[in-house]
Amino acid sequence: MNQLGVRRTADQVLALAPDVASREAGSRLGTAGPWSDAGCDGAGALWGLCEGSGSRPYRTVVDLAGPVPASQCSCPSRKSPCKHALGLLLLWAAEDPVVTAGAEPAGWAGEWLRARRERAGARQEGTPAEPGGATAERTADPEAARRRAERRAARIESGAAELEQRLTDLLREGLASAEREGYGYWEETAARMVDAQAPGLAARVRELGAIPASGPDWPGRLLEECALLHLLDAAWLGRDRLPDALAATVRTRVGLPSAPAGPAVRDSWLVLAQYDQSDGKVTTRRIWLYGRDTGRTVLVLSFGAAGRAPEISLPVGLAVDAEVLPHGGAGQLRATLGERFGAPYEGGALPRGAGVREALEEYGRALREDPWLESVPVTLDGVVPVPVGEGWQLADADGKAALPVARGAVGRPGLWKLAALSGGGPVAVFGECGHQGFQPLAAWGASDTGEPIPLL
């Protein structure tokens, strides 16, 4: 332990990695061999020299004082944290003796730490971070913002009308024409939606292009997705007649930015899961939090350009005392992470679980509010992972109901970790329940009060 909070586990350190390659490379550097002159002090400084391919070792320094570690390294990587920072954190997590406790930071490490903390202090006080700088307040022009919003809405409306025509043409010519046209037709349609400033429509169109010839049941799945896309088009074109909450959901689904729409909610938030998704251009980090006092489950999204880690990273299994700002929309679970009060700590409350039937009912209620919802967060209690054919199921202990594990989760190491934890007995599993099945994200023993075990 250090005075700044609990020492992270190896899994929690690796959860900070920006991608799989960094995670694997960082794991290889989590041994004493390549490290020298490594140390840590009681104020949250961690530093060390790591041998690399060059003539000089890489200088790596980590600031542990904040809720999320910040780092700098002399290596050429643009990823944050880099593999050297991850390796150093793994050494610290394992309390490896190569990291000298209670040492004084090396000069180069101390300079970076002082500069970083001076900037942080300046931001808290509202003073300029640079000497002689000035804090400029940019006042938005409401009228200009309104005109921009109207122009974008008109472009999206034009794009939605064009998309409706293309869907009509597809159904008139028959679904087999989608296989003949190939992916290029849908990519060109998606590009038109991007031009219309409707990235949400563009993403759904690209998904349509991947369905033809993807399996024996592709015509049925294509028809389902076309129906949902038509419903979204019609909702956008008739958004003025929708209830406010549903209209806000429609705006989000077509790709307009979502903003906080309610008062801040402070709670002790347990970090249940964190994982990244990438479309090649942007990496989206999904972080699920559960509030001890409110009983709410919220989703925090963080984004990073290709090759760079998203800004927010939280240690899975620990709790943070923080405020979140909920977003608007029917059935929306998204929230923005606000002010944090102190470092992450152990002892967060685990969410209350439900059976398989209750989970399906919850998903059904959520679909009534948001028909385009792919999944909802669910905690299954007392379920047993069971292999079935080429897939897996999570079955109630009485064997009367079961949920299929999502195809994408089958074969991942996390599923075997879940099976080992179960040992044939019931466990509690947190994950995303949707039309493609259940995606397990974290698990713990059915009667356990410890930290959830990450499954990604």
Side-chain angles (χ1 to χ4, degrees), residues 200-357:
L201 293 180
R204 287 185 171 270
V205 168
R206 290 193 178 97
E207 291 175 4
L208 289 183
I211 294 176
S214 63
D217 58 344
W218 73 261
R221 287 185 284 114
L222 180 62
L223 186 60
E224 290 174 2
E225 293 301 323
C226 284
L228 283 172
L229 191 50
H230 163 69
L231 183 63
L232 183 55
D233 276 343
W236 173 262
L237 296 172
R239 62 192 180 281
D240 294 339
R241 301 189 298 274
L242 298 177
D244 291 344
L246 183 56
T249 296
V250 170
R251 288 193 292 271
T252 301
R253 292 301 180 188
V254 300
L256 291 176
S258 174
V265 179
R266 182 175 177 178
D267 204 340
S268 171
W269 299 97
L270 176 65
V271 185
L272 287 171
Q274 173 177 287
Y275 67 97
D276 294 349
Q277 297 174 317
S278 177
D279 62 2
K281 297 180 180 179
V282 176
T283 298
T284 302
R285 176 164 293 165
R286 296 169 63 87
I287 305 173
W288 286 108
L289 304 177
Y290 174 76
R292 177 189 63 195
D293 299 326
T294 61
R296 296 177 64 162
T297 303
V298 299
L299 174 64
V300 174
L301 299 181
S302 182
F303 304 94
R308 298 191 67 85
E311 180 180 355
I312 300 175
S313 182
L314 297 176
V316 176
L318 299 187
V320 290
D321 180 6
E323 291 181 340
V324 301
L325 292 84
H327 288 224
Q332 292 292 303
L333 294 164
R334 185 179 171 188
T336 294
L337 187 63
E339 184 177 358
R340 283 171 269 183
F341 307 91
Y345 57 92
E346 292 177 338
L350 295 170
R352 181 178 300 175
V356 169
R357 291 187 180 85

Side-chain angles (χ1 to χ4, degrees), residues 36-114:
S36 62
D37 295 334
C40 63
D41 65 9
L46 177 64
W47 64 92
L49 301 178
C50 185
E51 293 182 6
S53 56
S55 58
R56 295 183 179 180
Y58 296 121
R59 295 177 170 184
T60 307
V61 56
V62 181
D63 186 0
L64 299 165
V68 179
S71 62
Q72 185 187 62
C73 185
S74 61
C75 73
S77 174
R78 298 179 62 188
K79 298 178 181 180
S80 180
C82 69
K83 62 183 181 181
H84 304 99
L86 290 169
L88 185 57
L89 280 165
L90 286 171
L91 287 174
W92 171 74
E95 301 186 68
D96 194 296
V98 73
V99 180
T100 304
E104 286 293 323
W108 52 270
E111 290 177 7
W112 179 79
L113 289 161
R114 282 192 297 273

Side-chain angles (χ1 to χ4, degrees), residues 353-364 367 374-407 409-410 415 418 427-441:
V356 169
R357 291 187 180 85
E358 291 86 353
L360 292 173
E361 290 172 359
E362 174 64 23
Y363 182 47
L367 284 177
E374 294 185 358
S375 61
V376 294
V378 168
T379 299
L380 296 174
D381 193 17
V383 293
V384 181
V386 180
V388 178
E390 296 182 356
W392 284 73
Q393 292 182 344
L394 296 176
D396 279 337
D398 59 11
K400 294 182 179 179
L403 270 174
V405 173
R407 186 180 304 175
V410 175
L415 188 57
L418 175 60
V427 292
V429 186
F430 171 79
E432 297 171 354
C433 178
H435 66 281
Q436 295 183 351
F438 189 89
Q439 165 96 304
L441 299 177

Side-chain angles (χ1 to χ4, degrees), residues 363-377:
Y363 182 47
R365 286 191 294 268
L367 284 177
R368 286 201 299 268
E369 298 181 342
D370 182 355
W372 308 279
L373 189 66
E374 294 185 358
S375 61
V376 294

